[in-house]
Amino acid sequence: MTKTITRRDWLTGSATAAAATLALSGSKAAAQSFMAPNVNPTAENPIRAHLNENVYGQSLKARKAIADSADASHKYAFQTLFQLLGLMAKLEDIPQEYVGLGAGSTEFLEKAAVFNALAGGDILLPTPTYGDIARFGRTLGSKLIEVPVSDDMAINLDAIRAAMTKNVKLIYLCNPNNPIPTIIEKNALIEFINEYSDQATVLIDEAYFEYVDNENYESMIGMVKENKNVIVTRTASKIHAFAGMRFGVCYAHPDIIKKMFGLFTNTLALPAMRGAIASYQDMEYQAFLRQKNKECQTIVSNMLDELNLEYVKSNANFIFFNAGRPSKEVAEIMKKHHILTGREFAPFTNWVRLSLSKPEEMQYFVEKYKQDFG
Ligand SMILES: Cc1ncc(COP(=O)(O)O)c(C=O)c1O
C-alpha cells in the first residue's frame, strides 16, 4: 500500500500518525520516516541545519532493536560486542583483528592524539578541517602544523608535503572534509599514504563516507588491508542518525587496534550495539537517505545558482557557500526564522555551512533566505 503524507497532514500535525501508519503498512524505505519535516519551526523546535545530523532519525529496524534491548541491558554484552565486530568486519571484507569499535568516532581521534603525544610527535593537518584532533592535540601539548586549503578550497596535499617534518607522527585527513565538503582524489591520496605512512600514522576520517557519490573518491580501507600505517575512522552519527546514541568504527592494522583497545573496547552500551547491528544492515533506509540528501543538494544549489553565490559542490550532508556577508549575520537572521545554520569557520568568515536536513526544510530555508538576502 502506498500513501503519501500530504502537506495538510504536516500542517495539521497528523503527519506523525500518518507516517507511522505508512511505516507499519509499507515495506518501502521511504515509509520509514515518521519524523515529520519541520515546516513550522519554532524557537523550541527549530530546523537543525547546523550540526550535520540526520534529522530523519534512526532506521525503524534500529529503533526496534534499541527498544528491545532494555530487557537485556542488565547483563554484560560481550556476545553482542563480538557479533557487531564480526558484522563490521564482514561489511568491509576485512579480518576482525583490523576492526575497533567505540562510542562514536571521537573516541578514535582522541586515542590517536594520545598515542601521538606519548610518542612526543607533532600533528600535521589541513585547515579548516574537523576540529577535534587539533583540540585534543592542543590539550596534550602537541605541536600542530596546520596547512591552509588551496585556492579551490580542497585539501592541499602538496602543501602538506612541504610542511612535513621528521617530528610529525600523526597526519589527519578528513575525507570528505568538514566544513568544506571537498574530497581528496583517490589516486593522489593513495600516493600520499604510500609516501608518508612509514614516517607517520595517517588517520583518514571518513565520517561522511556514506554520502559521497563521486567517481574520484575511494575509502582508504584498501590501504589498511595493505597493512599501511593508516587508521580509517567512520561514525554512525551521520547517515545512521546515532549522534546521541553513540557508535563508531575504525579500521587499522591489528597492532594499532591492539594498542588502542587492548583486546576489545567495553565502552559501548547494548542499545547502541543492537541498534547498530540493525542499522548497518538496513541498506534500503540508507539508500532512501542518500536520495533525500541529493534532493536537498539540488534545492540549495539551485538557489545559490539563482542568486549567483559561490559554493563548494557537496560530497556530504552539508553545503558550504559564500554568502557575501558574515556567516554570523546570516546565522542571526536565520535564527529569527528558527533555522539554525553552522557556526563561523575562520578564515572563511563569509561562508555558511548549511546542513542538508530534509527537502521540505531546505525549501523553507530557501524561501526565508531569498526573502532576506535575495
Ligand atoms: C569529520 C567528523 N569526524 C568526526 C566527527 C565526530 O563524530 P562522532 O559523533 O562519531 O564522535 C564529526 C562530527 O560531526 C565529524 O564531522
Side-chain angles (χ1 to χ4, degrees):
M1 176 185 132
T2 27
K3 179 179 180 256
T4 43
I5 298 161
T6 63
R7 187 169 161 77
R8 196 169 164 274
D9 283 331
W10 300 130
L11 297 177
T12 56
S14 59
T16 306
T21 313
L22 275 179
L24 292 172
S25 62
S27 65
K28 281 204 151 72
Q32 290 208 359
S33 172
F34 55 70
M35 286 172 74
N38 190 358
V39 290
N40 286 310
T42 60
E44 295 71 36
N45 185 29
I47 289 177
R48 297 177 63 83
H50 62 319
L51 293 176
N52 300 345
E53 298 158 340
N54 167 5
V55 299
Y56 280 92
Q58 290 140 10
S59 128
L60 280 190
K61 289 175 184 159
R63 286 172 203 225
K64 182 170 184 324
I66 290 165
D68 290 350
S69 68
D71 285 348
S73 295
H74 58 290
K75 296 182 280 188
Y76 283 108
F78 300 123
Q79 208 183 338
T80 308
L81 181 70
F82 283 103
Q83 189 188 344
L84 180 53
L85 207 48
L87 174 66
M88 299 321 288
K90 188 168 156 231
L91 287 173
E92 292 301 334
D93 193 21
I94 195 167
Q96 198 165 305
E97 307 77 67
Y98 286 72
V99 184
L101 308 180
S105 62
T106 302
E107 204 177 301
F108 316 131
L109 305 186
E110 198 178 294
K111 282 184 202 280
V114 167
F115 285 116
N116 174 71
L118 288 174
D122 299 342
I123 305 177
L124 181 57
L125 72 169
T127 182
T129 194
Y130 184 63
D132 269 7
I133 275 274
R135 189 161 57 87
F136 294 135
R138 254 181 236 116
T139 306
L140 294 160
S142 306
K143 181 178 162 194
L144 301 177
I145 305 170
E146 299 185 274
V147 181
V149 294
S150 48
D151 289 345
D152 64 359
M153 300 181 81
I155 289 177
N156 187 341
L157 289 183
D158 285 337
I160 290 178
R161 277 186 177 92
M164 183 69 186
T165 69
K166 276 206 182 98
N167 210 39
V168 169
K169 295 200 165 57
L170 179 62
I171 303 173
Y172 174 76
L173 296 171
C174 187
N175 194 33
N177 198 12
N178 174 18
I180 310 174
T182 53
I183 56 151
I184 307 173
E185 196 274 331
K186 57 188 175 192
N187 295 316
L189 188 51
I190 290 170
E191 196 184 325
F192 181 88
I193 290 172
N194 279 329
E195 236 174 295
Y196 290 102
S197 60
D198 284 343
Q199 272 171 266
T201 302
V202 185
L203 194 158
I204 312 288
D205 183 338
E206 296 185 356
Y208 298 96
F209 156 83
E210 290 91 345
Y211 289 103
V212 188
D213 180 16
N214 190 323
E215 59 185 15
N216 294 320
Y217 179 85
E218 194 175 287
S219 166
M220 287 299 122
I221 289 183
M223 296 307 271
V224 174
K225 289 180 186 169
E226 286 188 25
N227 291 316
K228 299 289 176 190
N229 182 16
V230 169
I231 304 174
V232 169
T233 64
R234 300 257 181 93
T235 179
S237 298
K238 305 302 167 186
I239 206 162
H240 295 277
F242 272 49
M245 181 57 63
R246 313 301 296 142
F247 174 67
V249 54
C250 74
Y251 299 90
H253 188 275
D255 290 347
I256 301 178
I257 295 292
K258 264 191 225 129
K259 196 163 125 183
M260 294 213 290
F261 304 98
L263 279 177
F264 53 80
T265 185
N266 198 12
T267 59
L268 281 162
L270 184 69
M273 291 195 287
R274 290 256 182 99
I277 289 169
S279 188
Y280 277 82
Q281 294 181 92
D282 192 345
M283 303 306 178
E284 203 182 13
Y285 190 50
Q286 291 172 52
F288 163 74
L289 293 166
R290 267 192 289 271
Q291 174 55 33
K292 288 290 158 194
N293 192 57
K294 280 205 170 140
E295 288 174 30
C296 289
Q297 284 175 351
T298 305
I299 291 166
V300 179
S301 44
N302 281 350
M303 178 198 86
L304 297 170
D305 288 339
E306 194 188 321
L307 299 181
N308 218 0
L309 296 177
E310 203 184 351
Y311 62 96
V312 174
K313 188 191 165 311
S314 174
N315 288 286
N317 66 343
F318 56 93
I319 201 161
F320 200 53
F321 70 92
N322 187 349
R325 52 171 52 80
S327 60
K328 277 185 178 167
E329 188 185 314
V330 174
E332 264 168 42
I333 292 174
M334 286 296 119
K335 201 171 172 189
K336 288 187 185 143
H337 297 297
H338 312 306
I339 302 169
L340 307 180
T341 57
R343 65 176 174 84
E344 180 185 83
F345 293 98
F348 298 99
T349 51
N350 278 0
W351 288 68
V352 174
R353 189 188 72 182
L354 181 78
S355 306
L356 302 167
S357 57
K358 294 186 180 184
E360 299 83 348
E361 297 177 3
M362 289 298 105
Q363 209 72 63
Y364 188 87
F365 166 82
V366 163
E367 194 184 303
K368 298 298 169 193
Y369 195 89
K370 280 192 188 166
Q371 189 180 305
D372 287 313
F373 305 117

